[in-house]
Amino acid sequence: MSRIGRQPIQLPDSVKAQVASDNTVTVKGPLGELSFACHPKLTVKLADGVLTVDRPGDAREQRSIHGLTRSLLANMVEGVTNGFSKRLQLNGVGYRAEMTGEALTLRVGFSHPVRIEPPAGISFEVPDATSVVVKGSDKQLVGQIAADIRSVRPVEPYQGRGIRYSDERVRRKAGKARAGDS
């Protein structure tokens, strides 16, 4: 059996979960509500504040989605309890970020500022002019929005300018050598 799939998910006191008859799991907590439609071949059980995911057999498809489903449900519980965040850094002369209402405005070397509206469940923070924090309860959505912001101006390898994750390491390339240097 899957080692990840077998692990039970403990629900904190502040989190309520519900399993519908169509295998849809809804998790409510202090930071919001998330739902997930589990695969019909898997069984999700809720008993005494513990969620467990079971599979009926050892078919390849069932084994492949067993641990995934358990991880997604655990991320939902973590998200509505503590939330998720991704931190981005802006590197470059004149590159800066600012909040305009709920939206994020980036000035990253284009002739115009780039405005990004947050979808439902996502919020932006700008602790200083060169960093952005994306926060939310849905781990996948937080990662996707952070990737979308990064794709506005990806890091270039020669001078390191662009938007990067705070823990990302960029491999730098050497520039052109002068004529006559060999």
Side-chain angles (χ1 to χ4, degrees):
M1 293 212 27
S2 167
R3 292 182 205 164
I4 299 294
R6 283 188 297 188
Q7 296 175 357
I9 303 167
Q10 294 287 337
L11 298 178
D13 294 335
S14 60
V15 174
K16 303 291 181 226
Q18 230 177 359
V19 180
S21 60
D22 63 343
N23 234 12
T24 300
V25 179
T26 305
V27 179
K28 295 180 187 175
L31 297 181
E33 177 179 339
L34 297 172
S35 63
F36 175 68
C38 296
H39 196 276
K41 291 186 180 178
L42 297 180
T43 308
V44 180
K45 297 177 187 166
L46 174 64
D48 301 326
V50 176
L51 273 173
T52 54
V53 180
D54 295 322
R55 65 176 192 236
D58 263 353
R60 183 179 183 98
E61 180 188 22
Q62 294 169 7
R63 285 182 298 157
S64 67
I65 59 175
H66 187 207
L68 170 71
T69 302
R70 189 260 176 213
S71 294
L72 292 174
L73 293 175
N75 285 340
M76 286 170 50
V77 171
E78 177 71 20
V80 298
T81 306
N82 301 325
F84 294 101
S85 66
K86 288 269 189 184
R87 186 178 199 93
L88 299 159
Q89 293 293 126
L90 281 68
N91 294 335
V93 176
Y95 286 17
R96 64 183 186 276
E98 56 193 28
M99 295 295 296
T100 50
E102 294 289 315
L104 176 69
T105 303
L106 299 172
R107 298 182 188 276
V108 287
F110 296 127
S111 62
H112 60 282
V114 179
R115 184 180 167 99
I116 300 172
E117 295 286 338
I122 296 292
S123 64
F124 298 129
E125 287 182 12
V126 181
D128 57 69
T130 60
S131 61
V132 176
V133 180
V134 180
K135 289 187 173 186
S137 58
D138 187 352
K139 186 174 187 177
Q140 187 272 331
L141 188 58
V142 168
Q144 183 63 52
I145 297 301
D148 290 345
I149 293 172
R150 185 183 179 279
S151 70
V152 168
R153 179 67 91 170
V155 180
E156 53 94 17
Y158 294 101
Q159 295 176 350
R161 288 184 296 206
I163 303 172
R164 70 178 80 182
Y165 298 111
S166 63
D167 56 352
E168 180 180 5
R169 291 192 50 159
V170 177
R171 291 189 59 185
R172 301 283 298 270
K173 292 182 178 179
K176 285 185 179 178
R178 291 188 317 197
D181 289 347
S182 318

